[in-house]
Amino acid sequence: ALHEGHIVSAQELTALLQPVFTQNSRNLILFLQDTLSIDDFTYLSESYGDKNPFQNQVNKLFINLLQEILQSSPSSLVLPAVDCKATRDLLSFLQESGDWKLTNVTDLDVSHLEVNTSKPNLLVVQLQPLLSQLTEFVKLYMFLFIDKIIGRLTMDLQERGIHFSVIYTAVRPSRISRRTDVVWELRRQLMATEEEDGLSYPPLNVTTGNETCILFYASNFSLNANNSVFIDLTNATFVTQNVDTSSSTCSDFNTTLSLKYTEPVNKISSLEIRFLMTNKFYGGSARNWFTLDSVEIIQDGEKFAKFNVSVISAPAEYSFHCQLVGTSNRYPARLIPSNNEAKNWDVFISRLQIQGFNIENNQFSYASDCTGFFSPGIWMGLVTSIILLWILTYGIHMIMQLTTNSRFDDPKGPGLSVPQTE
């Protein structure tokens, strides 16, 4: 039994998941999202009663349990939560906990998916990201879509007679409670956890002489080869810094960040990842811009994969930041395969920030974000304001065209005769 507001650590989560590893049917589905909180379930299911976004069996059981807990509680209730670091490293922990056959599910139709039930299977489904700038109404329909994906996959497996367990979680929480009474201490604890999570390690820096010429940061930096080998490079790159950057090159116009890893996983002896950046002058904007042109992956010195990059650019004096970067077409910044070998790789980078030019004081400069400044809400506000301003201007113009009579009838005198020409 856990007290209210308790933050479940990685060790406690391991103990809670032990029954999944010891049961007879060791088939596990991991639905992984970028942000998620218990409040999403309670808020959306109550605020939009007739449009409850959680209809599949997995989420319905959880919603019913939550409602029973809330109804039986005599006062306001704060439920336990799981530490961000524990969920972020959950996939790596699951792989290390047993001899799982890892399968990344990209096709929503799993009827043709080969599942060997004689061996433990780990099916990983990366769900649609829920960006922070989305409105609650848009999030409702996003959850409707996500709920249908979960329901479709689980129903397909049930119809095939495959027994499985499901974990539905996210990398970090989407909501922080803002109530000021009993919850204030929990709110401070969650905020401190997020700040600690965001600043748990410094960015990777590459120096030439005494000056830093490249800065690179990500909260999650992972790859997947051939849908079977998962490689988490986050700790090796930023925490232990067990990475060789000696092949990186820096100049005023071309910069290459080279990351070399020795035996990142058992099946790969060496791995090199290159980020190729350029600094060019563009006459249209009358200034220099830096762009990340391509990303290259070299496995064991032989297999060469190249990705073209979209959207990643910023003024030469700035750094670049993006919440999600990868090979999925759902991410704001995409890595697009440019050769056949690249199609065998999946790349996932969260909270990417990179700078290859004009670094001062060994710190990132102001960040140009991949999310445009003019969001759909801003555009709608501007269009509405322009329409209302046009109506006001037209009304004032029509009022100014009104004229008053220059002569009036005298009731005691003869009638006023107005010629037709007037």
Side-chain angles (χ1 to χ4, degrees):
L2 303 175
H3 61 82
E4 63 177 13
H6 177 74
I7 304 299
V8 178
S9 64
Q11 292 78 8
E12 293 172 321
L13 182 62
T14 302
L16 291 172
L17 293 177
Q18 283 304 317
V20 177
F21 307 143
T22 56
Q23 62 185 358
N24 294 331
S25 176
R26 295 182 58 192
N27 297 310
L28 181 63
I29 307 176
L30 175 61
F31 292 101
L32 191 59
Q33 209 161 282
D34 59 335
T35 59
L36 186 69
S37 294
I38 294 178
D39 306 72
D40 292 320
F41 292 91
T42 55
Y43 177 78
L44 292 174
S45 62
E46 293 175 359
S47 301
Y48 305 92
D50 57 337
K51 294 183 179 179
N52 190 340
F54 308 107
Q55 297 294 331
N56 75 74
Q57 185 178 3
V58 176
N59 286 332
K60 260 188 175 180
L61 292 173
F62 181 64
I63 290 294
N64 293 336
L65 177 62
L66 276 180
Q67 290 176 347
E68 290 180 5
I69 295 174
L70 292 172
Q71 291 173 0
S72 62
S73 176
S75 61
S76 60
L77 182 65
V78 181
L79 297 174
V82 181
D83 188 7
C84 304
K85 295 180 180 178
T87 56
R88 186 182 64 192
D89 300 331
L90 179 60
L91 182 55
S92 300
F93 163 72
L94 291 175
Q95 286 187 281
E96 297 172 357
S97 63
D99 186 19
W100 301 93
K101 179 188 176 184
L102 176 65
T103 303
N104 284 277
V105 180
T106 55
D107 188 0
L108 302 183
D109 183 11
V110 296
S111 59
H112 303 292
L113 182 66
E114 295 183 1
V115 180
N116 186 1
T117 55
S118 62
K119 296 181 179 180
N121 294 277
L122 175 58
L123 308 180
V124 180
V125 184
Q126 291 279 354
L127 295 173
Q128 182 85 9
L130 296 172
L131 303 179
S132 58
Q133 64 266 27
L134 295 178
T135 63
E136 294 295 342
F137 192 72
V138 175
K139 281 188 177 180
L140 169 69
Y141 283 93
M142 292 286 287
F143 272 109
L144 278 169
F145 177 71
I146 291 171
D147 185 78
K148 288 181 180 178
I149 292 176
I150 297 175
R152 187 184 306 172
L153 292 176
T154 52
M155 285 298 297
D156 284 350
L157 293 176
Q158 285 179 346
E159 290 174 358
R160 296 171 60 183
I162 298 175
H163 300 282
F164 57 88
S165 300
V166 175
I167 297 178
Y168 180 23
T169 187
V171 179
R172 62 184 184 280
S174 60
R175 299 171 183 264
I176 298 176
S177 177
R178 299 189 181 277
R179 289 174 292 175
T180 57
D181 47 6
V182 181
V183 190
W184 176 252
E185 184 177 353
L186 172 65
R187 177 177 179 266
R188 292 180 59 189
Q189 183 179 2
L190 285 174
M191 291 182 67
T193 302
E194 280 200 330
E195 290 176 0
E196 180 183 355
D197 179 64
L199 302 174
S200 57
Y201 46 77
L204 177 71
N205 65 80
V206 178
T207 59
T208 55
N210 296 326
E211 296 183 357
T212 300
C213 65
I214 303 174
L215 287 174
F216 175 63
Y217 175 84
S219 62
N220 190 327
F221 182 27
S222 56
L223 312 173
N224 192 293
N226 300 315
N227 289 328
S228 59
V229 181
F230 178 78
I231 311 170
D232 189 349
L233 302 174
T234 310
N235 290 333
T237 307
F238 304 105
V239 180
T240 62
Q241 294 195 354
N242 187 21
V243 57
D244 180 12
T245 60
S246 59
S247 297
S248 301
T249 59
C250 298
S251 70
D252 294 336
F253 304 103
N254 295 282
T255 295
T256 300
L257 172 61
S258 174
L259 306 174
K260 292 183 178 180
Y261 305 89
T262 303
E263 292 187 0
V265 291
N266 293 332
K267 298 180 181 180
I268 298 177
S269 60
S270 67
L271 186 68
E272 181 181 4
I273 304 173
R274 298 174 184 166
F275 296 83
L276 284 74
M277 295 169 279
T278 58
N279 179 11
K280 294 181 181 179
F281 178 81
Y282 292 87
S285 58
R287 69 181 305 168
N288 282 59
W289 286 71
F290 103 81
T291 57
L292 177 59
D293 296 324
S294 61
V295 175
E296 300 174 350
I297 301 176
I298 303 174
Q299 176 187 343
D300 300 327
E302 298 177 355
K303 298 181 179 180
F304 176 80
K306 183 177 180 180
F307 299 87
N308 294 326
V309 183
S310 66
V311 182
I312 299 184
S313 62
E317 300 81 10
Y318 292 1
S319 63
F320 177 84
H321 175 270
C322 195
Q323 194 70 22
L324 292 171
V325 178
T327 49
S328 173
N329 54 13
R330 299 178 305 212
Y331 298 157
R334 285 195 61 201
L335 303 182
I336 305 171
S338 64
N339 62 5
N340 291 330
E341 184 62 32
K343 297 178 182 178
N344 298 324
W345 291 88
D346 291 323
V347 183
F348 175 76
I349 307 175
S350 64
R351 296 175 62 185
L352 167 73
Q353 188 165 2
I354 190 169
Q355 184 173 355
F357 305 95
N358 303 311
I359 297 174
E360 297 180 358
N361 301 322
N362 297 329
Q363 294 180 348
F364 280 114
S365 302
Y366 176 84
S368 175
D369 201 274
C370 60
T371 302
F373 176 76
F374 287 96
S375 64
I378 294 177
W379 278 116
M380 288 300 298
L382 287 174
V383 171
T384 305
S385 300
I386 291 173
I387 294 174
L388 293 176
L389 183 61
W390 180 83
I391 295 174
L392 177 63
T393 304
Y394 180 76
I396 294 175
H397 175 73
M398 295 300 294
I399 291 174
M400 292 178 65
Q401 299 300 315
L402 295 176
T403 58
T404 58
N405 295 329
S406 59
R407 288 176 289 180
F408 301 91
D409 267 339
D410 184 0
K412 296 181 180 181
L416 183 65
S417 177
V418 180
Q420 292 294 328
T421 58
E422 299 185 11

